[in-house]
Amino acid sequence: MHAKAKYRKDYKTPDFTVTDISLDFQLDPQKTRVTAISRIKRLNGESRELRLDGHSFQFVSVKLNGRDFTDYQQNSESLTLILPEAEADQFELEIVTNLEPAANTSLQGLYQSGEGICTQCEAEGFRQITYMLDRPDVLARYTTKITADKSKYPYLLSNGNLVASGDTEDGRHWVEWKDPFPKPSYLFALVAGDFDVLHDVFVTKSGREVTLALYVDRGNAERAHWAMQSLKNAMKWDETRFNLEYDLDIYMIVAVDFFNMGAMENKGLNIFNSKFVLANPQTATDEDYLAVESVIAHEYFHNWTGNRVTCRDWFQLSLKEGLTVFRDQEFSSDTGSRAVNRINNVKFLRTAQFAEDAGPMSHPIRPEKVIEMNNFYTMTVYEKGAEVIRMLHTLLGEKAFQAGMALYIAENDGKAATCEDFVSAMERASGVDLAQFRRWYSQSGTPELTVSDEFDEKHHIYRLNVSQMTPPTADQMDKVNLHIPLKIAFYDESGMSLSLQKDGQTVSDVLDVIHTDQIFEFHNIYHRPVPALLCDFSAPVKLDYDYTTKQLITLLKFAKNEFVRWDAVQMLFNAELRRNLSNYQQGLSLDFSAEILTALYQVLENYSQDVELTTLILTLPKETEFAESFKVIDPEGIAAVRQFMLRTIADNLKELLLKVYNQIRLETYRVTSQDIALRGLKNLCLYYLAFTNLGNNLVNKHYLYADNMTDCLAALNAATKAQLACQENLLSDFESKWQHDGLVMDKWFALQATRPNENVLMNVVQLMDHPSFNFNNPNRVRALIGSFAAQNLKAFHSADGAGYRFLTDILIRLNDTNPQVASRLIEPLIRFARYDAQRQTLMKRALERLSEVENLSKDLFEKIEKALQ
Ligand code: TRP
Ligand code: ZN
């Protein structure tokens, strides 16, 4: 098998398009018959070969203009019709296929989830239903008729509006849906099943009433209210901030248990991983609540940025994803705390996206070459893509940015657009020259900004020397200069902020870094300032400025900007870890800066000034976060030193931690920013205290009195990470309480997989036989196996290679059942270049073994090939 790559430069407009398609599903889990009747138009006036995409179904028949048609060639992934010239301009094609949803473990195309049946078509899943021009620049009007058993599948849903329904003689029933908006095949959806339905109404700003319907498994209605409220908040917000209104009369969301990703924005009928819908205080943590809100919003926002304006080809994916992530981040920031959202997003980007760019899969936010499209739903396309939109927002300002959005939508509504269409609209609406900025779309890698400074005491001038450099990446050797917005602020030693002036004028706090080396000069500066650089992470870059501990502590104490305060602490922690790791590797003793401990003490003492920020500041970066700053990662060393830092903070701040822990009292559980903040801090105190002699008692009690999942899980996490005497008891109590609920058990599986115990791998292997585990459910696999491979740095990278061998065995199985999930799980293994020679050898050996399996999927093939190159 030799999978062929596609290149962005090879894009060609389609020779034919489908204007209308009518689908008829005779639904049955064992045998579903699909009849697809398409009206097809020739666009180029000469082609007689119509190549349709399709695979993984039984092909029954094809008719052209109502007659049986046999002039075609078929291969494993397409059907090519040779059309009679007389009919080639415009014709009707009828294709019949048979599918087996119950046997479809790939969760792409039409498949069974639990007792229901649903679809997943993005990116190229529609072609597993019938032969089709399965590309996003072919926009058709869909009519969908579904016939199915009435008692097993009382609800039959598809895109658009319900236009007709009825019963058949044999106890089945049928419905017909019509979607008035032309759409690409990837936005098609069908759902059949029995559900609890939550209904609501949203009145749009122009006064139209929209029916909202949320479908969840029977018995779960009471866990759907938060999602419904989030949807209404998102609809309202998009009207207020982006002036975008919903366009159909009905908006449906269905929660399913078997799902490869987070959720899918199918027109008028979103399908969600139940993880991002269901939430009540007993089953969901505060974090889960916020994740539900954000994913619900994300999918809703796609209705304009994705559906009304879609992508011309899959290389343009960031056009909809980067923009929609930016929009959901802004929603969360306007709804909750902007600083907290920014900090959490930056943490995520700096670890996961930077790591991706440093590895074999590095690609620009608009990739140039793709073998399997599913491999490009990445941190880079989504999160770095959102950073690129955010930089535009920083450079243009809200007003010009919104003018650009309005122009972009007006010009591209109902069309399939490109990233260039977006940037061009922004450029014309704002008058800002974005020529150099465009390079963010074509250049991969993490740029490095090196900053040094000079203070001219005599002339009261302060200078910043800024250089930019992007190191080569796996996909791209040569790099060019980018347009990098660098946001700054200056503080004096006493913490007063200084105004930025030049030649008597106030100047912008956002510097335009465009050359290799640049000097920025500031006047009327009377004392050497402490510079805050890259405030709010104004660009997705690495910053190198030689801060002293004293300067960072000044920023921590006095900066007006919360992000700057947090970021200063990250630099302090990183420096402590680095210094101690080197001690550890040389067998020297470890020590923690007393100055930093004092500063942390003071932050905690004053927690009431900003509860959330206190928690974020006092949270020690995870091992994987620390790991990202090293060229060569020492998994054992990082774990040991981090553990030392944790215990040192815990011991030194013990009394205060206990005092704060006892001071924070919450009554009944509420999901408000204030309560979330207080619970977060209380649980962080608990976590540190778990590592002191008070741990076992406190944690045990915390678990016993917990009346919500946030507190319950905080106790379990503390008990297992600190390996307290109570840990086994608590784990088995949780297990017996929740074994019936897969989503809740995922938290337990993830905890088990990230335990620091020596025998953790053996435990993970045994848990694969746990009654709550199901190898075909991606949530279970990610919770148990994914957490082990991606979060348990020390155990996965154990020097004997057992972790690598285990993951390889799993990937060989998943390659057959669900290659899309396999391809996400393989990530830690392909990043072998970041480890020592011995580990590299073991990891490469594992990849070689994988590369030899029969029927290696395109998904894994693409990654393994790149890694071993
Ligand atoms: N477009 C979806 C989103 O960003 C994600 C998505 C892409 C997806 N491909 C998928 C979801 C495959 C499930 C399966 O929200
Ligand atoms: Zn999306």
Side-chain angles (χ1 to χ4, degrees):
M1 202 272 306
H2 283 286
K4 264 196 81 158
K6 284 190 183 155
Y7 294 83
R8 181 172 72 89
K9 62 173 168 41
D10 293 340
Y11 174 81
K12 281 200 202 64
T13 56
D15 291 339
F16 295 88
T17 195
V18 180
T19 57
D20 300 87
I21 181 165
S22 124
L23 295 164
D24 181 292
F25 288 81
Q26 296 289 330
L27 217 57
D28 183 276
Q30 264 66 47
K31 185 177 175 186
T32 292
R33 171 156 295 215
V34 183
T35 307
I37 303 177
S38 309
R39 288 227 54 85
I40 301 185
K41 243 167 82 180
R42 184 160 66 176
L43 298 177
N44 73 352
E46 58 178 42
S47 179
R48 285 182 46 212
E49 279 190 16
L50 171 62
R51 184 182 180 281
L52 300 173
D53 310 291
H55 63 84
S56 304
F57 49 66
Q58 186 194 3
F59 172 47
V60 178
S61 63
V62 55
K63 283 184 180 164
L64 176 72
N65 289 327
R67 312 179 317 266
D68 283 337
F69 187 73
T70 50
D71 201 0
Y72 59 76
Q73 287 149 18
Q74 199 186 0
N75 68 24
S76 63
E77 45 190 34
S78 65
L79 181 76
T80 305
L81 308 175
I82 318 298
L83 302 162
E85 177 56 34
E87 290 168 284
D89 276 333
Q90 188 153 3
F91 53 95
E92 190 186 274
L93 204 64
E94 182 195 292
I95 293 171
V96 180
T97 52
N98 286 332
L99 316 178
E100 192 183 348
N104 182 358
T105 55
S106 75
L107 313 187
Q108 305 178 65
L110 185 76
Y111 66 91
Q112 179 162 4
S113 170
E115 297 300 302
I117 293 178
C118 66
T119 54
Q120 172 54 41
C121 294
E122 188 176 8
E124 297 177 334
F126 192 87
R127 62 185 66 180
Q128 299 192 33
I129 295 174
T130 186
Y131 283 118
M132 178 64 172
L133 282 166
D134 190 13
R135 44 187 289 170
D137 57 353
V138 170
L139 278 65
R141 268 178 296 267
Y142 281 68
T143 305
T144 308
K145 185 175 174 188
I146 313 165
T147 309
D149 185 284
K150 194 169 182 169
S151 60
K152 264 183 85 181
Y153 307 105
Y155 293 94
L156 302 174
L157 313 173
S158 191
N159 318 86
N161 302 308
L162 182 70
V163 290
S165 62
D167 293 328
T168 64
E169 280 110 67
D170 55 351
R172 289 159 76 81
H173 69 148
W174 61 273
V175 299
E176 193 171 302
W177 293 83
K178 211 175 178 70
D179 183 355
F181 293 96
K183 64 167 174 289
S185 49
Y186 83 86
L187 290 173
F188 169 77
L190 174 157
V191 175
D194 190 11
F195 303 102
D196 274 352
V197 193
L198 194 62
H199 281 288
D200 212 320
V201 175
F202 181 82
V203 181
T204 70
K205 65 173 177 175
S206 68
R208 282 186 316 102
E209 274 194 13
V210 180
T211 300
L212 310 178
L214 190 39
Y215 299 80
V216 296
D217 277 355
R218 286 228 171 255
N220 278 338
E222 143 282 333
R223 282 161 90 177
H225 293 280
W226 174 258
M228 182 63 90
Q229 188 55 50
S230 301
L231 174 61
K232 291 191 283 180
N233 295 346
M235 293 177 87
K236 181 90 196 135
W237 181 88
D238 215 14
E239 292 184 345
T240 318
R241 176 91 187 262
F242 277 78
N243 194 28
L244 295 171
E245 192 176 325
Y246 188 61
D247 53 6
L248 281 164
D249 299 330
I250 179 163
Y251 191 85
M252 296 175 280
I253 293 176
V254 184
V256 301
D257 287 335
F258 289 70
F259 205 69
N260 279 348
M261 308 259 273
M264 181 63 212
E265 70 266 24
N266 317 300
K267 183 78 188 185
L269 177 57
N270 289 181
I271 301 180
F272 270 62
N273 186 327
S274 53
K275 174 183 168 66
F276 294 110
V277 174
L278 302 179
N280 74 19
Q282 270 59 57
T283 58
T285 63
D286 293 339
E287 225 181 300
D288 293 329
Y289 272 91
L290 296 177
V292 167
E293 177 180 68
S294 138
V295 179
I296 292 269
H298 179 97
E299 306 310 329
Y300 173 71
F301 298 152
H302 268 315
N303 189 54
W304 279 98
T305 51
N307 302 2
R308 287 289 288 260
V309 180
T310 194
C311 299
R312 187 191 72 173
D313 56 78
W314 289 120
F315 297 100
Q316 316 295 327
L317 180 61
S318 202
L319 175 70
K320 74 173 175 85
E321 295 305 346
L323 179 53
T324 304
V325 171
F326 171 77
R327 278 154 50 68
D328 84 53
Q329 290 177 352
E330 282 300 292
F331 166 71
S332 296
S333 302
D334 286 346
T335 311
S337 156
R338 180 162 289 274
V340 171
N341 273 285
R342 190 63 190 137
I343 289 168
N344 285 325
N345 291 333
V346 170
K347 260 204 234 197
F348 190 40
L349 187 96
R350 274 183 181 157
T351 43
Q353 198 281 325
F354 282 12
E356 183 168 271
D357 243 343
M361 275 295 287
S362 173
H363 55 279
I365 63 168
R366 184 184 56 203
E368 303 291 348
K369 176 191 173 190
V370 165
I371 291 179
E372 170 51 61
M373 191 52 215
N374 283 333
N375 282 342
F376 289 84
Y377 288 79
T378 58
M379 293 296 302
T380 299
V381 167
Y382 276 66
E383 315 304 321
K384 187 179 177 184
E387 292 301 316
V388 170
I389 305 293
R390 185 169 297 284
M391 286 190 284
L392 277 174
H393 187 269
T394 303
L395 291 171
L396 271 55
E398 168 74 3
K399 203 162 162 246
F401 181 89
Q402 288 299 348
M405 274 300 299
L407 183 61
Y408 165 68
I409 300 267
E411 289 180 340
N412 297 287
D413 188 13
K415 300 198 187 121
T418 62
C419 296
E420 174 52 30
D421 293 329
F422 179 81
V423 179
S424 160
M426 285 289 161
E427 190 165 54
R428 282 174 289 126
S430 67
V432 177
D433 178 358
L434 297 173
Q436 189 170 341
F437 186 83
R438 279 177 172 76
R439 294 173 178 175
W440 282 104
Y441 284 88
S442 46
Q443 182 159 291
S444 57
T446 307
E448 294 174 8
L449 280 185
T450 306
V451 181
S452 63
D453 57 353
E454 293 157 39
F455 181 51
D456 179 344
E457 208 167 345
K458 200 158 133 222
H459 300 99
H460 315 301
I461 295 174
Y462 180 65
R463 290 188 195 88
L464 288 178
N465 308 312
V466 181
S467 341
Q468 66 164 299
M469 194 275 291
T470 305
T473 50
D475 62 321
Q476 198 177 50
M477 282 310 293
D478 299 315
K479 303 293 183 181
V480 291
N481 285 333
L482 297 168
H483 182 173
I484 300 172
L486 175 62
K487 189 173 163 188
I488 58 164
F490 298 152
Y491 294 92
D492 71 12
E493 302 279 321
S494 70
M496 287 285 288
S497 76
L498 308 175
S499 75
L500 305 178
Q501 290 178 31
K502 193 175 177 192
D503 304 324
Q505 305 274 320
T506 302
V507 294
S508 165
D509 62 351
V510 179
L511 310 180
D512 288 294
V513 177
I514 52 176
H515 302 298
T516 308
D517 297 294
Q518 266 169 283
I519 300 172
F520 297 92
E521 207 172 86
F522 303 91
H523 299 161
N524 300 330
I525 306 270
Y526 296 91
H527 305 276
R528 175 178 272 279
V530 179
L533 303 167
L534 203 66
C535 302
D536 294 324
F537 197 62
S538 59
V541 304
K542 287 185 183 164
L543 173 76
D544 178 13
Y545 171 83
D546 204 3
Y547 279 112
T548 62
T549 302
K550 187 155 169 265
Q551 283 178 311
L552 289 172
I553 288 178
T554 302
L555 290 179
L556 164 60
K557 283 191 177 157
F558 302 115
K560 302 281 174 297
N561 179 311
E562 294 161 297
F563 180 88
V564 170
R565 296 184 60 201
W566 171 80
D567 209 19
V569 180
Q570 303 314 293
M571 291 188 253
L572 289 168
F573 280 150
N574 262 309
E576 284 304 291
L577 183 104
R578 240 165 216 289
R579 191 169 50 73
N580 278 300
L581 184 59
S582 148
N583 289 346
Y584 176 85
Q585 288 164 341
Q586 296 168 64
L588 303 174
S589 62
L590 311 183
D591 65 279
F592 200 106
S593 150
E595 255 178 304
I596 299 177
L597 280 173
T598 309
L600 294 177
Y601 185 95
Q602 286 165 357
V603 170
L604 184 56
E605 222 179 2
N606 296 309
Y607 76 90
S608 56
Q609 286 169 15
D610 193 335
V611 179
E612 290 161 298
L613 191 65
T614 301
T615 308
L616 286 165
I617 285 175
L618 287 167
T619 300
L620 209 49
K622 293 188 289 195
E623 288 166 16
T624 47
E625 291 175 59
F626 275 133
E628 209 13 65
S629 74
F630 292 91
K631 253 193 138 59
V632 178
I633 298 168
D634 173 354
E636 277 159 36
I638 290 174
V641 174
R642 183 180 181 278
Q643 181 76 209
F644 158 78
M645 290 167 72
L646 194 59
R647 288 184 187 276
T648 308
I649 297 173
D651 286 337
N652 279 271
L653 273 59
K654 189 166 113 182
E655 255 85 87
L656 182 57
L657 285 161
L658 186 63
K659 185 173 143 206
V660 175
Y661 178 85
N662 286 325
Q663 249 168 30
I664 299 176
R665 291 251 151 89
L666 288 152
E667 299 304 322
T668 47
Y669 181 85
R670 291 179 312 171
V671 185
T672 61
S673 326
Q674 206 187 22
D675 282 12
I676 292 177
L678 289 168
R679 262 192 301 278
L681 183 56
K682 185 170 175 118
N683 285 328
L684 180 70
C685 293
L686 180 75
Y687 185 71
Y688 277 114
L689 289 166
F691 290 84
T692 70
N693 58 349
L694 304 173
N696 196 52
N697 234 326
L698 272 179
V699 170
N700 209 1
K701 259 202 220 127
H702 196 88
Y703 183 89
L704 272 172
Y705 289 111
D707 67 350
N708 62 78
M709 182 50 75
T710 307
D711 288 336
C712 175
L713 201 65
L716 261 187
N717 184 48
T720 50
K721 295 298 183 311
Q723 298 181 283
L724 300 176
C726 63
Q727 62 174 328
E728 298 301 340
N729 267 340
L730 303 191
L731 280 169
S732 66
D733 179 79
F734 189 99
E735 177 190 15
S736 59
K737 239 192 224 137
W738 294 110
Q739 52 188 319
H740 61 280
D741 191 310
L743 275 187
V744 179
M745 284 302 281
D746 283 345
K747 302 173 193 309
W748 188 85
F749 284 128
L751 268 186
Q752 294 277 7
T754 52
R755 288 172 82 173
N757 308 27
E758 285 302 323
N759 63 350
V760 57
L761 176 55
M762 207 177 76
N763 190 24
V764 168
V765 171
Q766 281 166 3
L767 287 172
M768 288 181 63
D769 293 326
H770 192 280
S772 308
F773 189 78
N774 177 347
F775 195 74
N776 287 332
N777 186 310
N779 286 354
R780 296 308 91 78
V781 170
R782 280 185 288 253
L784 185 63
I785 302 159
S787 307
F788 173 77
Q791 303 298 328
N792 201 335
L793 197 64
K794 189 176 153 189
F796 177 65
H797 292 282
S798 83
D800 61 2
Y804 309 146
R805 285 191 295 276
F806 165 70
L807 184 62
T808 306
D809 293 339
I810 298 290
L811 292 175
I812 291 172
R813 282 178 68 187
L814 276 175
N815 178 62
D816 291 330
T817 58
N818 191 332
Q820 195 180 354
V821 168
S823 194
R824 294 205 164 245
L825 249 52
I826 200 180
E827 281 293 328
L829 204 51
I830 62 174
R831 298 180 185 170
F832 55 77
R834 301 285 293 276
Y835 297 87
D836 58 76
Q838 197 187 325
R839 286 191 172 88
Q840 282 198 27
T841 308
L842 292 165
M843 292 170 97
K844 281 193 240 174
R845 197 172 295 158
L847 289 174
E848 276 153 12
R849 175 153 76 96
L850 252 176
S851 73
E852 283 154 17
V853 310
E854 245 177 90
N855 295 320
L856 187 64
S857 58
K858 284 188 193 182
D859 313 57
L860 287 180
F861 169 79
E862 181 168 39
K863 291 192 176 179
I864 296 170
E865 186 200 47
K866 278 191 180 161
L868 292 178
Q869 229 164 43

